[in-house]
Amino acid sequence: MNSTVLSLRMDGELCARLHAHAARRGMSVQDYVIRTLVREDFDQRFRSAVEETERFYGCT
């Protein structure tokens, strides 16, 4: 798998919250952030598929 580096600047409070969330799950901050982004992308694609199915079948 090809990988790319993403660098971001955030305040200390947000960074501490990310560390805490990741630690509770036994994950690194990097893994926690990636998992969260992947899940959000999946949720968006799933919602789009449901909406398309509802339009196709005429459901509301």
Side-chain angles (χ1 to χ4, degrees):
M1 182 170 136
N2 197 358
S3 66
T4 302
V5 174
L6 171 66
S7 175
L8 17 128
R9 188 175 306 271
M10 67 181 82
D11 66 27
E13 181 181 329
L14 176 57
C15 189
R17 286 176 27 213
L18 286 173
H19 277 279
H21 285 295
R24 278 194 294 267
R25 289 161 180 79
M27 304 171 79
S28 68
V29 173
Q30 176 178 316
D31 289 342
Y32 177 77
V33 170
I34 289 171
R35 187 193 73 163
T36 302
L37 292 171
V38 167
R39 185 180 65 227
E40 178 63 27
D41 179 59
F42 171 79
D43 289 348
Q44 180 59 45
R45 288 184 290 129
F46 181 74
R47 270 192 300 273
S48 295
V50 168
E51 290 168 0
E52 183 66 26
T53 300
E54 288 174 346
R55 281 194 296 275
F56 181 76
Y57 288 107
C59 302
T60 55

